[in-house]
Every structure is written in C-alpha cells, then in structure tokens.
Amino acid sequence: DALEQIVALGERMPLLVIARGETTFTLRYQPRYRPGAGVPRAEPLRLGSLDHATHVPDLAIEVRGPNEPPQVLLLDAKYRLEANGHSLPPDAFGDAYTYLGAIGCGGRRTTLGALLLYPAPVPAERFSSGIGTVPLLPGRTSVLNDEIVYWIGHSV
C-alpha cells in the first residue's frame, strides 16, 4: 500500500509541448472538444466541436503555427480485432470518422487525420478519407513515429 501511486492528469493541461521554430505541437490526453468552441463567432483560433456533441479522442496532437488556424491529429486506441486477429472491425472506424469531421476551428474542420491504434502484427494503412490505422505491439512502436511524421508533415 505504501507504494501505491496515483497519477491525475488535468483536463486542460497538456502532456507535452514542443516548439519547433514558430510552430508549436501540443500533446493532449483525452481532450474535450466542446460544442460552440469551433464556430466562427467564438474564439476564432480555438479548437472545438463543429456539431452539438463534446468529442473526446484518446490523444490529440494540436499543431499551431503563426497566423494560421490550429490543426489537430487525432489518435484513438481500439482493442477489438476481427476474428482473423489482424484487422479492425468496420464499426471501429465510426469514432474516427466522427472525430475527423466534427473537430475544427472557426467553423471549419481542421483535423489533419484520425489514426486508430490497435494491437496487430500488420503494416500501417492510410486511407484517402483522412483515416489511418497504426498497429502497435510491445517493442514495435517506430511505426507510430513514422505515421505521426507523415500525417503532420503533409500540413506543416
């Protein structure tokens, strides 16, 4: 009992902030993108929900550059696989499509993509819809780095 530790993450506090030149990358755990925050008459440079729901992806990497609206790459963990043990079931894509279309800034979608993270020994996939799949296994995490660089690199 004496070794028991509790980690409490603040809802609005980022896990990590990296500045690269004039661009800032902010990693957030379970950020809450609330309704109204992403519409034009609200704060024009604040990410939020473009519909009536609050959206809470598992992780988000927010990208902010000078004189540009913020963009966000969303990451959502999935733990279910198809019976073949190598692919995600079709309904697992539902949250990714919702996040992709419903989070933005200034009344516009500003998501770079939505990546589904799941445990499988297969290659990553990129779809022209803006969705990607990233397999993760212990000791095999370099694919996540490669995919983040790809998805963010196409915007910065």
Side-chain angles (χ1 to χ4, degrees):
D1 289 337
L3 297 177
E4 184 176 315
Q5 300 290 318
I6 296 175
V7 175
L9 301 174
E11 178 181 321
R12 298 187 194 280
M13 297 299 298
L15 293 177
L16 178 69
V17 178
I18 298 173
R20 182 177 177 202
E22 293 187 74
T23 303
T24 302
F25 302 90
T26 304
L27 176 64
R28 296 188 187 280
Y29 173 72
Q30 293 187 339
R32 284 165 174 66
Y33 296 106
R34 292 183 168 78
V39 299
R41 60 189 172 279
E43 296 175 50
L45 296 178
R46 185 169 174 206
L47 287 162
S49 174
L50 300 175
D51 58 28
H52 68 281
T54 296
H55 300 285
V56 186
D58 291 328
L59 293 164
I61 302 171
E62 297 176 358
V63 181
R64 294 178 185 271
N67 305 316
E68 298 175 21
Q71 297 177 301
V72 62
L73 178 63
L74 305 162
L75 297 95
D76 204 46
K78 300 297 178 192
Y79 304 99
R80 296 177 297 119
L81 296 175
E82 287 276 40
N84 66 17
H86 297 291
S87 59
L88 288 166
D91 66 337
F93 287 79
D95 287 341
Y97 281 110
T98 298
Y99 295 148
L100 184 70
I103 297 172
C105 178
R108 298 182 141 179
R109 179 179 77 88
T110 59
T111 51
L112 299 170
L115 304 180
L116 298 171
L117 313 176
Y118 67 107
V122 297
E125 293 182 286
R126 300 173 187 150
F127 302 102
S128 59
S129 63
I131 303 296
T133 62
V134 181
L136 292 175
L137 292 171
R140 296 184 186 175
T141 57
S142 64
V143 67
L144 178 59
N145 180 67
D146 296 343
E147 290 305 304
I148 290 171
V149 168
Y150 171 84
W151 288 89
I152 290 178
H154 276 79
S155 69
V156 177

